[in-house]
Amino acid sequence: LTSVRERFRTGYSSAFTIQYRLRADAEKGEMVLEPWRKNDHDTLLYNMRQKKMKHLKSHWMAGTQETNEALNWDPLADLVSRWRGCYLEPSATRFWKEASPDPPEG
């Protein structure tokens, strides 16, 4: 997901998030969110099985700071339910592949 700020012809503060990268694996109970800024980005690693979140906060001059905290809610369940629920039209193009009952070839 790219911020509208990226479309501006004028400059913007490096503190603004310009892109969000999101990866999730519902079967493993894992989700990664990366809010990208002009010069650096943070990484939030969610592990729903362990009910923990690791936050890697980066700054281009100060380096990376790591914090860990317990999760008292399931953001992956919220994401999946909203995409499968009322926020997605049945005929809409999905942003993920449907699960396959067959193992991948290779």
Side-chain angles (χ1 to χ4, degrees):
L1 302 171
T2 303
S3 168
V4 70
R5 294 183 197 283
E6 197 64 3
R7 289 185 252 147
F8 293 155
R9 296 282 183 218
T10 60
Y12 51 85
S13 169
S14 61
F16 290 117
T17 300
I18 56 173
Q19 189 177 77
Y20 294 91
R21 296 183 183 177
L22 178 65
R23 297 183 308 274
D25 187 329
E27 290 179 5
K28 290 183 180 179
E30 298 174 347
M31 184 170 72
V32 179
L33 173 64
E34 294 177 307
W36 284 73
R37 296 178 296 280
K38 189 185 271 187
N39 299 319
D40 49 33
H41 73 281
D42 294 347
T43 303
L44 292 91
L45 304 152
Y46 297 92
N47 187 319
M48 272 45 82
R49 289 185 180 167
Q50 296 178 0
K51 298 188 182 198
K52 294 182 181 178
M53 184 208 46
K54 182 190 293 187
H55 184 183
L56 302 170
K57 187 174 183 177
S58 68
H59 187 273
W60 67 276
M61 284 184 67
T64 302
Q65 179 183 17
E66 181 180 324
T67 58
N68 293 287
E69 61 185 76
L71 284 174
N72 57 2
W73 63 290
D74 189 345
L76 180 57
D78 287 349
L79 175 72
V80 170
S81 69
R82 297 206 193 285
W83 255 342
R84 288 186 180 166
C86 62
Y87 291 94
L88 185 65
E89 293 292 324
S91 62
T93 303
R94 297 177 188 266
F95 295 105
W96 64 88
K97 292 181 180 177
E98 288 292 330
S100 173
D102 301 322
E105 293 181 19

